Amino acid sequence: MTATAATPTLRQMERTETLPASDAGIARAAELLREGRLVAFPTETVYGLGGDARNDQAVARIFDAKGRPRFNPLIVHLPDLAAAEGYARFDDRALELARRFWPGPLTLVLPLRAQAGLSPLVTAGLETVALRVPAHPLARALLAAFGGPVAAPSANPSGRVSPTRAAHVLAGLAGRIAAVVDGGPCAVGVESTILSLDGPPRLLRPGGVPAEVLEAALGVPLTHGPVEAGQRPSAPGQLASHYAPAAAVRLNARGAETGEILVGFGPVHGDFTLSASGDPVEAAANLFHILREADRLAGPGGRIAFAPIPDEGLGRAINDRLRRAAAPRG
Ligand code: TXA
Ligand code: MG
């Protein structure tokens, strides 16, 4: 009998629990998050699709469930400013805004504390992190019960409108997530305002807190920046920590050429493997760690080759990231 190539893993459909807005419902939601599973929950803006922001697999599952074609960075939700200070560095401006607008529909992009233990998938390998303290009582109860950082994009399939009711969440994601906490309709209905304070204040997305209100609070006009965080030009010397490997990257490699570090997937074995079983969720969870490790092993002027990843489902986001790593850099 001949060995069969690893077939792409078919997504396991799961029964999605609808949890009540009660202590028991919140306790169950927190338990699921601790298991690394996904729970949609109401915030005052829209429903979020939550997963443990420290757990690589949980964060990879968020991208998988939404069918996102790219690893754009996610907002990390926290119960209060004190918890948020564990994950990012707050300067005086950030402290002022946090004290005035949290809890509420304001997300701050701040310098990441790299050793704080967030999955690199949450920040897409950036040195900044988006933090938000939501005001919705159920979101607050869930964050308190869970006791850790929750990564949560809006709880809709990629490219569809954001959900403001549990029924909207189920219409898009039933069978792909463990549970939704039903808290009725969201009050604000538009996403949080995203403000970068990694440098001069920059509005990355208009939202629940008007830009003029932030300008008045800061006493300076906001610049309006690109929403695509990954496009921020990185200062020289920062490349390694952005996980843009210093090594040259070759894609779709069936084997290593002389001097190359090979990163395998499925049947292609290497010095590392993104997933020996060819599981795209596992591969996504490993991606940023392996980019960094392979780069370290390759050394200055080194070369890394990646085995082919099927370009479907989460594989598309993985390939998008690898193509960027392989693109010529100026
Ligand atoms: O109201 C909201 O903010 C909702 C609820 C669930 O909290 N969440 C939400 O998340 O809208 P999402 O993933 O749909 O939008 C996150 C946005 C993305 O446009 C992303 O590029 C940006 O935040 N973002 C996240 N981290 C960033 C970073 N480090 N730098 C710049 N932009 C960042
Ligand atoms: Mg969204």
Side-chain angles (χ1 to χ4, degrees):
M1 232 181 79
T2 53
T4 49
T7 44
T9 324
L10 287 178
R11 181 201 307 284
Q12 296 274 326
M13 295 300 270
E14 54 188 325
R15 193 179 70 80
T16 301
E17 300 174 32
T18 298
L19 300 173
S22 65
D23 289 351
I26 292 298
R28 174 68 180 147
E31 179 185 26
L32 290 166
L33 287 177
R34 277 191 285 273
E35 290 172 4
R37 301 178 67 195
L38 304 186
V39 177
F41 61 97
T43 78
E44 72 277 23
T45 58
V46 300
Y47 275 73
L49 175 55
D52 184 343
R54 301 160 299 193
N55 179 328
D56 295 313
Q57 290 265 346
V59 180
R61 284 191 195 110
I62 292 176
F63 288 97
D64 188 43
K66 282 183 66 91
R68 271 201 181 174
R70 278 191 180 177
F71 295 120
N72 40 356
L74 305 177
I75 298 172
V76 175
H77 296 67
L78 295 153
D80 53 37
L81 172 58
E85 284 183 283
Y87 296 97
R89 293 193 302 277
F90 283 67
D91 61 15
D92 289 344
R93 302 169 304 169
L95 286 174
E96 167 73 15
L97 292 187
R99 290 191 184 115
R100 270 181 77 168
F101 297 103
W102 282 357
L106 175 66
T107 295
L108 295 176
V109 172
L110 298 169
L112 172 71
R113 289 190 197 277
Q115 304 308 317
L118 292 180
S119 167
L121 210 46
V122 167
T123 55
L126 295 171
E127 291 176 335
T128 54
V129 61
L131 300 179
R132 157 158 147 75
V133 174
H136 195 292
L138 287 171
R140 294 174 63 76
L142 177 58
L143 290 166
F146 175 57
V150 173
S154 50
N156 51 284
S158 185
R160 306 255 289 275
V161 295
S162 295
T164 53
R165 290 167 189 266
H168 301 166
V169 175
L170 289 169
L173 296 175
R176 297 175 159 229
I177 64 177
V180 56
V181 178
D182 189 351
C186 301
V188 178
V190 297
E191 281 94 342
S192 62
T193 304
I194 305 182
L195 181 72
S196 170
L197 290 176
D198 178 39
R202 201 157 44 103
L203 186 73
L204 299 182
R205 180 177 74 185
V209 176
E212 306 78 54
V213 174
L214 294 175
E215 289 188 328
L218 286 163
V220 293
L222 305 179
T223 61
H224 296 242
V227 178
E228 272 295 303
Q231 289 169 4
R232 190 175 72 115
S234 50
Q238 289 187 333
L239 277 177
S241 46
H242 276 252
Y243 308 93
V249 171
R250 183 168 70 91
L251 305 182
N252 296 315
R254 302 275 166 188
E257 292 172 0
T258 313
E260 273 182 341
I261 301 295
L262 179 64
V263 179
F265 178 83
V268 178
H269 303 284
D271 302 280
F272 300 94
T273 180
L274 287 172
S275 169
S277 64
D279 172 6
V281 172
E282 184 183 11
N286 285 332
L287 181 62
F288 286 93
H289 298 286
I290 285 181
L291 272 174
R292 181 186 269 188
E293 281 305 306
D295 201 33
R296 210 196 309 271
L297 201 62
R303 290 179 295 140
I304 310 171
F306 282 85
I309 317 280
D311 204 38
E312 60 201 17
L314 206 46
R316 287 166 61 213
I318 296 171
N319 285 326
D320 171 74
R321 190 64 188 73
L322 290 179
R323 276 193 297 272
R324 289 160 190 259
R329 291 179 290 273

